[in-house]
């Protein structure tokens, strides 16, 4: 039974894309069609000969359509192993004919939830008969071909013509796809039910995660690791539906760094730019115009920006493209590109140009570990100047306030321990990912050099001791923003007062491990 002939097919689809053409093609090949109410009506409307499920079962659809295919005449035909004489004898005894092909796609549960439908409407979009038939047919792939994706219709017809039937390899691959489909569907339902039980203080009892592979990558983080790009099942796509407009294939690390840059730039003022290297921003600026912002971000650390990822939160225009011309860049990502910018980038075939909408990522922050995962709410900067407290005797100046707000947002997306120096709307020094905060401060000061004079400093967590603040002050910083809450707050404030620094406490920590 290598190539299974298709003599009888059951079609029951919610998404009727292509089903009429597929049904006609099957009938032209002599396949008997059985179908449920809505699908049968669509096929008949277009002149396709079909038998109603109710005529096979001897029962009408019941309970508002909740019961129509849940019957031995259907499931016996789907589950009978046609290699087993006893199975064939048993279904023959009860007048049940076997099916060779099942075509099903399910009620749009995720889409219904996303639309904001009512509780009762959502419940009614939980498919029962569809998953039952899909699982039955996938289990019985030795005898039944199961198709859950309209994109597969053409492949099935081509193989029927080429092989005279559907090969075992294809049936097995389609069965694997079918089980993945129902698993993803049930994960979405389970997650929705868990959300109904959760409250603001308690994490849900179940988190359903389902991803579908978009593409294999050349390798993972390193050449000896396999890697692939996946998208949330039935979602808008990676980064809200990112499109690679030109350039070489995106690598595993390209995607990681593109998201790190885009996650930060979407939270910044208009026409901002972020340059990321190895998942940390090495330059950030918000100067009111994308080309100026790029130049400001690049000036922060020209060495680290080589081979970096550049992100804009506004249209990337020809001026920005021209400003980038002499710098080797791996990826540029923005919500839109002007035609002049795309024309300029076309001269750089190795540059990857990615267009993606500026969207707030949904869901959870998930960190996997052997045997489980740590899951938390996404970290979002929700606090504003109105929530902050000036702890020093001196109030920040208007310029310092603007730079402090920017520095605080940037520190949110730099690996801990984090120290960020900002001056006149752009970073001048970034210290990231160090084991001690004073080391991060030393790095930021060294990167900034003379540019630190008149800058402000942000720390993602409190200063446990005055030392890191003193390094920033000695480098030339005039104001500092940090969460506060340390036993050493008084000593830190005293050190700031002695140096004439303004001190702002946010009350919120933003670690990023």
């Amino acid at each position: 039974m290598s190539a299974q002939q298709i003599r009888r097919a059951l079609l029951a689809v919610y998404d009727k894309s292509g089903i009429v053409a597929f049904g006609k093609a099957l009938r032209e090949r002599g396949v008997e069609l059985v179908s449920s109410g809505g699908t049968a009506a669509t096929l008949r409307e277009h002149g396709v000969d079909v038998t109603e499920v109710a005529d096979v079962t001897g029962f009408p659809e019941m309970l508002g359509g909740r019961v129509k295919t849940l019957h031995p005449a259907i499931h016996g035909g789907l589950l009978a192993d046609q290699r087993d004489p006893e199975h064939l004898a048993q279904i023959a005894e009860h007048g049940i004919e076997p099916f060779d092909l099942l075509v099903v796609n399910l009620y749009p549960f995720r889409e219904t939830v996303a639309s904001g439908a009512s509780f009762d409407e959502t419940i009614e979009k939980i498919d029962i008969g569809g998953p039952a038939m899909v699982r039955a047919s996938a289990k019985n792939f030795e005898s039944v071909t199961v198709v859950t994706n309209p994109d597969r219709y053409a492949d099935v017809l081509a193989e029927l013509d080429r092989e005279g039937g559907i090969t075992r390899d294809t049936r097995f691959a389609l069965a694997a796809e079918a089980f993945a489909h129902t698993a993803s569907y049930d994960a979405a339902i389970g997650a929705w039910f868990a959300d109904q039980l959760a409250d603001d203080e308690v994490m849900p009892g179940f988190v359903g995660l389902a991803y579908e592979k978009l593409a294999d990558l050349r390798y993972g983080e390193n050449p000896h690791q396999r890697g692939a790009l996946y998208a949330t099942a039935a979602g808008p796509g990676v980064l809200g539906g990112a499109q690679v407009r030109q350039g070489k294939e995106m690598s595993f690390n390209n995607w990681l760094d593109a998201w790190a840059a885009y996650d930060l730039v979407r939270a910044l003022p208009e026409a901002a730019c972020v340059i990321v290297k190895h998942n940390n921003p090495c330059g950030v600026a918000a100067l009111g115009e994308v080309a100026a912002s790029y130049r400001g971000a690049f000036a922060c650390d020209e060495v680290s920006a080589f081979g970096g990822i550049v992100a804009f939160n506004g249209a990337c225009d020809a001026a920005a493209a021209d400003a980038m011309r002499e710098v080797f860049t791996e990826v540029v990502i923005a919500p839109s590109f002007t035609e002049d910018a795309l024309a300029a980038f076309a001269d750089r075939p190795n540059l990857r140009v990615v267009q993606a909408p500026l969207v707030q990522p949904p869901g959870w922050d998930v960190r996997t570990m052997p045997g489980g995962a740590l899951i938390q709410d996404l970290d979002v900067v929700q606090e504003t100047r109105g929530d902050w407290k000036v702890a020093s005797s001196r109030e920040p100046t208007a310029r310092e306030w603007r730079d402090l707000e920017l520095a605080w947002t940037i520190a949110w997306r730099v690996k801990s321990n984090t120290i960020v120096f900002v001056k006149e709307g752009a970073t001048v020094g970034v210290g990231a990912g160090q084991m001690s905060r004073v080391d991060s401060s030393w790095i930021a000061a060294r990167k900034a050099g003379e540019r630190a004079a008149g800058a402000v400093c942000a720390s993602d967590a409190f200063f446990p001791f005055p030392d890191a603040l003193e390094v920033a002050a000695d480098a030339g910083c005039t104001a500092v923003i940090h969460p506060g809450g340390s036993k050493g707050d008084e000593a830190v404030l005293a050190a700031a007062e002695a140096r004439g620094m303004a001190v702002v406490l946010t009350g919120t920590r933003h670690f990023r491990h």
Side-chain angles (χ1 to χ4, degrees):
M1 292 181 66
S2 178
Q4 173 78 29
Q5 289 187 337
I6 305 297
R7 296 155 298 196
R8 189 168 185 247
L10 174 56
L11 283 57
V13 295
Y14 187 90
D15 176 3
K16 295 177 176 57
S17 303
I19 195 62
V20 171
F22 188 51
K24 286 182 178 179
L26 291 173
R27 286 294 300 133
E28 289 168 1
R29 288 159 177 78
V31 179
E32 177 191 349
L33 302 184
V34 176
S35 187
S36 57
T39 307
T42 298
L43 292 171
R44 281 208 187 98
E45 182 183 336
H46 290 84
V48 181
D49 184 30
V50 62
T51 300
E52 284 265 9
V53 163
D55 294 332
V56 174
T57 63
F59 280 87
E61 291 187 11
M62 300 171 63
L63 310 180
R66 286 188 172 194
V67 177
K68 45 194 170 189
T69 58
L70 298 171
H71 191 280
I74 299 300
H75 284 270
L78 294 173
L79 282 165
D81 185 343
Q82 296 179 40
R83 303 168 303 170
D84 187 333
E86 290 189 14
H87 280 204
L88 295 177
Q90 287 178 33
I91 62 172
E93 179 183 351
H94 295 285
I96 297 172
E97 296 182 55
F99 290 103
D100 309 301
L101 171 66
L102 175 75
V103 182
V104 164
N105 55 64
L106 309 177
Y107 293 166
F109 180 81
R110 285 188 182 87
E111 294 81 356
T112 301
V113 173
S115 73
S118 70
F119 184 92
D120 287 344
E121 289 171 328
T122 300
I123 291 294
E124 287 307 314
K125 285 298 184 287
I126 298 174
D127 204 324
I128 301 300
M133 291 190 292
V134 168
R135 287 174 55 81
S137 300
K139 173 178 178 174
N140 196 30
F141 73 91
E142 295 285 7
S143 298
V144 180
T145 299
V146 55
V147 179
T148 57
N149 185 345
D151 292 343
R152 299 286 186 244
Y153 296 166
D155 296 336
V156 168
L157 294 174
E159 188 157 311
L160 281 175
D161 293 339
R162 185 177 63 251
E163 304 289 342
I166 306 301
T167 65
R168 184 183 188 278
D169 286 348
T170 298
R171 297 197 306 273
F172 188 85
L174 289 171
E177 189 174 296
F179 276 122
H181 185 59
T182 57
S184 169
Y185 192 77
D186 281 342
I189 295 170
W192 181 80
F193 269 86
D195 284 345
Q196 308 311 301
L197 295 172
D199 59 42
D200 291 340
E201 303 299 324
V202 180
M203 293 285 285
F206 173 81
V207 174
L209 302 175
Y211 300 99
E212 297 172 348
K213 188 166 73 173
L214 297 182
D216 287 306
L217 303 175
R218 288 178 60 198
Y219 49 78
E221 206 163 3
N222 297 289
H224 61 274
Q225 295 171 271
R226 294 183 301 168
L229 178 67
Y230 290 79
T232 304
V238 173
L239 300 187
Q243 295 178 304
V244 180
R245 300 289 300 271
Q246 76 153 54
K248 297 190 300 184
E249 175 190 354
M250 290 278 285
S251 72
F252 188 97
N253 292 333
N254 288 155
W255 282 113
L256 280 180
D257 287 340
W259 169 235
Y262 218 47
D263 191 27
L264 174 54
V265 82
R266 67 177 179 80
L268 297 179
E270 186 177 354
C273 176
V274 172
I275 305 175
V276 158
K277 189 71 172 289
H278 296 300
N279 225 235
N280 270 309
C282 60
V284 181
L287 300 176
E289 189 269 327
V290 289
S293 292
Y294 172 77
R295 288 190 289 268
F298 179 71
C300 177
D301 188 346
E302 296 182 5
V303 174
S304 296
F306 179 84
I309 277 69
V310 175
F312 298 103
N313 61 7
C316 178
D317 58 20
D322 187 63
M324 299 170 60
R325 183 175 297 279
E326 302 303 321
V327 183
F328 170 58
T329 301
E330 290 275 3
V331 179
V332 57
I333 181 170
S336 63
F337 295 86
T338 66
E339 291 302 318
D340 287 346
L342 292 174
F345 289 141
D347 294 335
R348 304 171 63 180
N350 291 333
L351 173 65
R352 302 158 177 91
V353 176
V354 180
Q355 185 169 330
L358 291 167
V359 293
Q360 168 68 34
W364 307 99
D365 180 2
V366 181
R367 319 282 181 91
T368 61
M369 62 178 67
L374 291 167
I375 300 178
Q376 62 178 350
D377 293 323
L378 292 169
D379 185 24
V380 179
V381 176
Q382 295 177 314
E383 63 276 8
T384 64
R385 190 194 297 191
D387 303 313
W388 300 343
K389 172 187 175 184
V390 177
S392 56
S393 58
R394 180 174 77 79
E395 183 89 13
T397 66
R399 181 192 63 79
E400 286 173 332
W401 268 122
R402 289 193 297 271
D403 285 344
L404 286 167
E405 289 177 303
L406 180 62
W408 182 244
T409 303
I410 295 168
W412 161 66
R413 274 299 173 254
V414 182
K415 295 289 183 74
S416 299
N417 286 313
T418 300
I419 295 291
V420 175
F421 290 2
V422 168
K423 182 178 180 180
E424 296 176 352
T427 54
V428 293
V430 178
Q434 298 305 301
M435 289 69 75
S436 71
R437 194 160 299 277
V438 68
D439 285 344
S440 292
S441 199
W442 276 116
I443 291 171
R446 183 175 66 81
K447 295 277 189 182
E450 294 180 356
R451 296 172 299 170
V456 305
C457 171
S459 174
D460 63 335
F462 60 61
F463 293 98
F465 308 103
D467 50 4
L469 179 139
E470 290 168 346
V471 169
D474 292 346
C477 289
T478 61
V480 63
I481 185 168
H482 70 104
S486 167
K487 293 179 180 179
D489 275 358
E490 288 187 13
V492 172
L493 180 59
E497 293 279 25
R499 289 162 174 79
M501 297 181 78
V503 179
V504 175
L505 303 180
T506 68
T508 304
R509 185 184 76 186
H510 289 290
F511 270 159
R512 189 181 189 214
H513 285 317

